[in-house]
Amino acid sequence: MAKTPQKKTAQSKTTSPFKDIKLFESEITSFINKFKATVVTHSKRVSDYFEMSCYNLIVRFYENNGYSVTIQNLKKGEYVYKCSPAGIQSNYSFFLITKNYGKKTLEFEVQHNLATQSSFNKEVFTNPDISVIKKGTSKTTTNYYAINRRFSYVKNSDLITFFEVKNFNPFPELIFNFIGIVNELRKEILTNSATAKRPIHLAPSLMVSGKPNRQTIRIKKSLEERYCINIMYDLFDSGVSTFSKKKQADLRITGKLIS
């Protein structure tokens, strides 16, 4: 006698690194509406919506840590996320974060898919999903490609921190690849030098949608003990909680004075 197929329970669904796009759309729209703006979301990929959601969580971190947050570069009153490395940065929106430090007002931008110069070679670039840079330091050139195509980037010296977003269940190679990117962009982080200087910034982080297993939990613990980084799992279910004021002390931070 054939067995009757069992319906998926809510518990079984949460083990997947995927989430309903409508839930993401609601969360993202609600976040942008808070700043009295609307949002353009043309993507049909869950991975893009997860990336937008993580971008918003980063902005929330800075809000929770006393930064003033404003939207910049709206297009006809709408926020336009940059969900691909392609395109010129000036065609997309971003957040400006501002913090007073003594008599200084320090300003940074939270940028999306901006090419970043290697700390080893000025002619080599990679694209972190989300980055925090010094205000006004995004540049556009036609000298990178052989066909005079425009290319947006930031110098390594103007990069403050960055974040990689992965819509997967975590696995060892994914995590160790992130360490390679940290080495390329912020090699000093591998000395585990989390400073107490202000203003604070969130340390370079790997943000993963899916749930870890025993092995990836061990890898996270080992790497976070060695380096000033964050490895975040299960952000579909725990993203808001992970970035709440109550839990922000669990996140590794870094900081440096900006002259």
Side-chain angles (χ1 to χ4, degrees):
M1 182 176 177
K3 291 183 179 180
T4 303
Q6 294 183 345
K7 292 183 179 180
K8 290 184 178 179
T9 64
Q11 183 177 6
S12 67
K13 286 182 180 179
T14 62
T15 62
S16 169
F18 301 100
K19 186 173 181 178
D20 192 296
I21 282 178
K22 291 188 186 238
L23 293 175
F24 271 132
E25 285 181 334
S26 177
E27 291 171 8
I28 291 164
T29 300
S30 177
F31 182 80
I32 295 298
N33 287 169
K34 184 174 75 170
F35 297 92
K36 302 189 185 311
T38 56
V39 60
V40 176
T41 53
H42 296 303
S43 178
K44 295 183 179 179
R45 300 191 306 171
V46 174
S47 58
D48 286 343
Y49 280 95
F50 178 55
E51 196 171 291
M52 287 184 265
S53 177
C54 287
Y55 181 98
N56 294 347
L57 290 173
I58 299 301
V59 175
R60 189 189 303 266
F61 168 86
Y62 285 100
E63 281 187 299
N64 288 343
N65 282 279
Y67 282 79
S68 298
V69 173
T70 56
I71 289 178
Q72 303 292 305
N73 209 32
L74 292 175
K75 301 298 180 181
K76 297 181 180 179
E78 296 180 316
Y79 191 99
V80 183
Y81 287 92
K82 187 173 186 281
C83 293
S84 165
I88 302 305
Q89 223 65 17
S90 60
N91 291 334
Y92 299 89
S93 308
F94 62 92
F95 274 85
L96 179 69
I97 57 173
T98 305
K99 182 126 182 181
N100 293 325
Y101 180 71
K103 295 181 179 179
K104 293 183 178 180
T105 298
L106 302 180
E107 297 178 297
F108 309 93
E109 297 172 3
V110 185
Q111 288 282 358
H112 201 177
N113 278 302
L114 174 62
T116 302
Q117 188 183 60
S118 165
S119 61
F120 295 96
N121 187 325
K122 293 181 179 180
E123 301 299 319
V124 172
F125 296 84
T126 187
N127 281 79
D129 295 313
I130 304 163
S131 56
V132 177
I133 66 173
K134 298 177 190 177
K135 179 187 175 183
T137 55
S138 171
K139 302 180 181 298
T140 298
T141 180
T142 56
N143 295 330
Y144 185 71
Y145 294 102
I147 54 174
N148 289 328
R149 175 180 161 192
R150 290 194 297 167
F151 174 69
S152 292
Y153 72 99
V154 66
K155 290 182 178 179
N156 189 270
S157 58
D158 293 323
L159 173 70
I160 303 299
T161 187
F162 72 94
F163 315 98
E164 284 291 297
V165 178
K166 301 301 176 187
N167 184 38
F168 300 118
N169 282 321
F171 55 92
E173 292 77 14
L174 173 70
I175 306 165
F176 291 122
N177 284 344
F178 171 67
I179 298 301
I181 300 172
V182 174
N183 180 57
E184 196 67 29
L185 297 182
R186 288 292 309 275
K187 56 182 181 289
E188 72 276 13
I189 293 297
L190 300 185
T191 65
N192 202 17
S193 57
T195 72
K197 293 180 181 179
R198 296 294 187 265
I200 67 166
H201 287 278
L202 187 61
S205 305
L206 176 63
M207 308 173 74
V208 186
S209 62
K211 295 181 182 296
N213 56 28
R214 190 172 296 178
Q215 183 183 24
T216 50
I217 289 172
R218 287 196 196 103
I219 294 172
K220 167 184 164 70
K221 183 175 185 296
S222 176
L223 293 177
E224 287 184 340
E225 286 174 349
R226 280 183 265 165
Y227 309 128
C228 182
I229 61 171
N230 296 292
I231 298 174
M232 308 175 193
Y233 298 142
D234 193 24
L235 289 184
F236 271 172
D237 284 344
S238 65
V240 174
S241 172
T242 299
F243 282 85
S244 67
K245 288 185 177 180
K246 184 177 179 180
K247 289 194 173 182
Q248 68 180 18
D250 296 335
L251 298 172
R252 300 293 303 278
I253 60 172
T254 185
K256 62 180 180 179
L257 298 178
I258 307 300
S259 59

